Amino acid sequence: MQDRRRAPIDRPFLLGAAIGSGLVARAAERGGADFVLALNAGQIRGRGLPSVASMLPLGDTNADMIEIARRDIAAQIHVPVYAGLTVFEPPARLSQDLRRLAASDVAGVVNFPTVVHYSGEVRRSLEAAGCGFEAEMAMLAQAAALGLSTLAYVTTDAEARAAARIAPDMVCVNFGWNAGGRLTELVPDVSINEAILRARTIARSLAQEAPETAVLIEGGPVVHPRQVAEICAEAGTRGYVGGSTLDRLPIEDAVYDRALAFKSAARARRPERPRDARLRRLEEAAGLVGPSQALEEALARLARSAASGGHLVISGPPGTQRHAAARVWLARAGLEGRLSILDVEEQPAFETGIRLFGRGTERAGLLEETDGAALQIEPLRALEPRWQRKLARFLDRGAYTRYRGRVAIAPRPTLVFLSDLPIATLAARGRIVPELSARLAPREIVMPGLTERREDVPDLLEWLIAQAGGSFELGPSALGLLMRAELPRHVSDLRHLVDALTASGARGTLGAVDLDPVLALPRRDGEGASSRAAERAWILDALRRHAFNRTAAAREMGISRKTLYNRMRRHGL
């Protein structure tokens, strides 16, 4: 049976769970965790606050964590438990705390909350007051003397070398607070490449100065198992400690899953509005799917417009399914398969008018050629004002003359105008002449964006995945993420997401965490910062390709080894 007072550091890969409750500890043990860290950050996350709040004086941290580690966690699991202690209390009381732990089933101590998460003047002040990293290492040394196991949190090579002097059982290289999830909008301070470089440097230092110490990683940009495997393989580290990634994110996703599953039970029982089966099939084939009121109202307006006859304007930003709506309208109007299209932006403005109205006696225009059929004109804003006025006169009078023609022509085409802006907006910006605006505004149907039809997202995604031939589906947690108002605004955004997932070879049921890499946004830096970030990334990429061999990296980059060293120093590498 495993010794509950020692982590099995001889194993090839170690997994630690930094949590704050017995419930999560039991689940982590069943999942294969080799040890558990009882940290106030885990308790804070359980209260709905971000991990960073654990650095605030919200209670008697040491007393609370000793009791939780002893009573709620160590008594319920069979793997070693480490209690997170801080040095922000009198030395005599800290010694008493350590003796209490040594007399319990708790295996060891970890320096958390830790000063390594502070920087600048705050950290300098804490160090000067005797509450800094040196005091934390002294606490761990005292714990080791009492027979307790120790784990030291570090962020830099200098801290790792200082920790090596007390030879802790494990060192955890922390890359900052986790950037994953949706409780906060933290941006990681380091990239995966920078994390690899830092972990590699620290692992090499500890291999020389404390070869029995196992080096683990945690935090920052590391939110997915493949990133852990990547860093451990390239940096030579021995394992991973999961905090938010093992409790908050999975719990958020699990609650999403269950709540949305119950919610979908009511949705599945919603009675369908009566509609002709053939027309419903047409709508589904065009991708106009979903139960939202906004979509139902748009489809009802399309039906009324098709039944009454006349011309049509469909407006809405790209990705609001204007073309799909036009196809459904044409089918309802009995004009399916009888459509010509004029793309106004594909040819010069003058040629557009000739193509539309014809010229003299030798050339007929599209209006004549589509007599009794349908002509789709897009985008409306790009049509030159003189041709807009000529169209308005045709709509008023029912006849026109060709360019440089003399004979009145009276064809009866059905005109379908597509616009990426509503007519009112075009009019306000001077992009449509008043006489045409007056004729078309009563015939306009504005297609809703996703912000108005969030409940359609599951049906839309199912349709898009089928169209893309994907071998995956989105679970409730992923659907819950995509149904949030601040995320994809139009169907085209969902289509790009599905295309990216299909191209990545995604399979099975995907959760919210599987979407994070696809939905990740670039960091918002200024131009100068972007330039510096680009050079830093360039250097790290080259170093990584050559297993951090500086000579080979410099050769590939076309610079001298000295220049590479200077640039690495400039970027803090």
Side-chain angles (χ1 to χ4, degrees):
M1 188 172 181
Q2 181 180 309
D3 183 359
R4 296 179 62 181
R5 297 298 298 266
R6 292 290 168 186
I9 59 175
D10 56 336
R11 292 181 181 175
F13 182 86
L14 293 169
L15 174 64
I19 47 83
S21 73
L23 175 68
V24 178
R26 290 196 301 272
E29 181 183 31
R30 288 197 302 272
D34 297 295
F35 62 93
V36 166
L37 306 184
L39 303 185
N40 70 324
Q43 191 183 34
I44 287 286
R45 289 193 295 271
R47 293 163 58 183
L49 297 173
S51 300
V52 68
S54 64
M55 303 302 291
L56 298 174
L58 300 179
D60 191 343
T61 300
N62 283 3
D64 289 346
M65 293 321 301
I66 288 172
E67 188 64 13
I68 289 171
R70 184 186 61 81
R71 181 195 64 205
D72 296 347
I73 300 179
Q76 301 191 53
I77 61 176
H78 300 89
V79 297
V81 176
Y82 291 68
L85 299 186
T86 176
V87 295
F88 300 152
E89 64 178 29
R93 184 177 172 186
L94 182 57
S95 296
Q96 181 182 354
D97 289 341
L98 292 172
R99 288 193 295 273
R100 283 180 62 201
L101 282 175
S104 72
D105 286 335
V106 175
V109 177
V110 53
N111 58 320
F112 192 96
T114 171
V115 74
V116 303
H117 285 138
Y118 290 113
S119 60
E121 190 60 38
V122 173
R123 176 156 183 180
R124 285 192 290 273
S125 297
L126 290 171
E127 295 282 1
C131 298
F133 189 72
E134 184 178 341
E136 292 176 5
M137 294 304 100
M139 174 186 70
L140 295 184
Q142 187 178 354
L146 292 169
L148 291 164
S149 184
T150 55
L151 184 151
Y153 267 85
V154 303
T155 58
T156 66
D157 187 47
E159 291 165 358
R161 289 177 182 274
R165 289 195 286 272
I166 67 166
D169 294 285
M170 294 177 285
V171 161
C172 182
V173 183
N174 184 269
F175 304 121
W177 303 105
N178 263 131
R182 286 150 288 283
L183 182 60
T184 65
E185 299 205 6
L186 288 173
V187 175
D189 292 328
V190 298
S191 67
I192 290 295
N193 281 346
E194 291 171 296
I196 292 171
L197 180 59
R198 184 188 298 181
R200 182 184 178 91
T201 300
I202 290 174
R204 284 184 169 181
S205 295
L206 286 168
Q208 294 173 354
E209 302 187 23
E212 300 301 317
T213 297
V215 182
L216 316 177
I217 59 171
E218 180 195 28
V222 185
V223 296
H224 197 281
R226 65 172 175 268
Q227 294 169 322
V228 174
E230 194 176 1
I231 295 176
C232 288
E234 297 196 34
T237 50
R238 293 269 308 283
Y240 172 68
V241 174
S244 298
T245 53
L246 284 182
D247 59 12
R248 178 169 58 80
L249 294 178
I251 289 172
E252 285 180 350
D253 289 346
V255 173
Y256 262 136
D257 284 349
R258 188 53 59 92
L260 286 169
F262 281 118
K263 187 73 172 177
S264 67
R267 179 174 170 268
R269 296 184 61 189
R270 183 190 296 113
E272 274 194 0
R273 293 179 175 85
R275 189 178 303 155
D276 180 274
R278 173 180 171 273
L279 293 176
R280 182 172 289 280
R281 286 195 298 271
L282 287 170
E283 293 163 1
E284 291 175 353
L288 294 171
V289 294
S292 72
Q293 187 66 31
L295 178 62
E296 289 289 342
E297 289 175 358
L299 292 174
R301 290 196 299 272
L302 285 171
R304 290 194 296 269
S305 172
S308 65
H311 309 297
L312 172 72
V313 179
I314 301 178
S315 63
T320 51
Q321 297 185 289
R322 289 171 295 148
H323 292 83
R327 290 196 298 275
V328 169
W329 185 87
L330 289 166
R332 286 180 175 274
L335 294 167
E336 193 174 12
R338 300 163 60 196
L339 174 70
S340 298
I341 298 176
L342 175 62
D343 189 328
V344 181
E345 292 182 321
E346 280 190 348
Q347 50 200 332
F350 176 76
E351 181 59 30
T352 299
I354 302 301
R355 184 80 184 92
L356 186 59
F357 294 100
R359 177 174 182 146
T361 58
E362 73 278 5
R363 181 173 177 182
L366 278 172
L367 291 174
E368 297 171 66
E369 294 174 358
T370 56
D371 186 13
L375 173 60
Q376 183 172 298
I377 301 173
E378 60 177 312
L380 181 56
R381 59 172 168 73
L383 195 61
E384 199 175 62
R386 62 171 167 172
W387 304 127
Q388 289 188 24
R389 283 189 285 270
K390 193 173 179 71
L391 262 179
R393 289 194 295 271
F394 167 58
L395 295 176
D396 273 334
R397 302 168 186 170
Y400 67 94
T401 59
R402 294 175 180 173
Y403 177 71
R404 291 186 178 177
R406 296 177 180 229
V407 178
I409 303 170
R412 290 293 178 267
T414 298
L415 301 182
V416 179
F417 297 91
L418 298 188
S419 176
D420 52 8
L421 294 171
I423 289 177
T425 303
L426 293 177
R429 297 181 182 181
R431 303 298 298 272
I432 185 172
V433 299
E435 49 265 51
L436 185 59
S437 174
R439 289 288 306 182
L440 296 182
R443 307 289 302 176
E444 181 181 25
I445 296 175
V446 181
M447 294 301 294
L450 278 188
T451 53
E452 302 170 74
R453 45 183 296 212
R454 280 292 165 191
E455 58 267 49
D456 293 344
V457 166
D459 296 274
L460 282 166
L461 284 165
E462 184 179 348
W463 183 82
L464 289 167
I465 292 169
Q467 294 292 305
S471 300
F472 60 91
E473 62 178 355
L474 300 186
S477 63
L479 293 175
L481 172 61
L482 294 172
M483 289 170 74
R484 290 187 171 194
E486 70 270 17
L487 285 163
R489 294 177 298 171
H490 301 302
V491 177
S492 55
D493 298 329
L494 293 179
R495 180 177 287 108
H496 294 153
L497 171 69
V498 169
D499 289 345
L501 290 171
T502 303
S504 71
R507 293 186 177 278
T509 301
L510 308 184
V513 68
D514 299 304
L515 302 187
D516 283 342
V518 181
L519 295 174
L521 298 175
R523 294 181 62 174
R524 298 179 178 89
D525 296 310
E527 287 186 10
S530 294
S531 176
R532 290 191 296 274
E535 183 179 59
R536 185 173 187 156
W538 176 53
I539 293 171
L540 283 165
D541 282 340
L543 286 168
R544 188 175 173 189
R545 278 194 299 275
H546 293 281
F548 298 90
N549 182 310
R550 294 177 175 87
T551 301
R555 187 182 304 116
E556 179 195 295
M557 297 165 71
I559 59 178
S560 69
R561 184 183 170 97
K562 181 179 180 181
T563 300
L564 175 59
Y565 278 152
N566 290 338
R567 292 188 182 185
M568 289 176 67
R569 277 197 297 272
R570 185 165 68 241
H571 290 292
L573 302 175

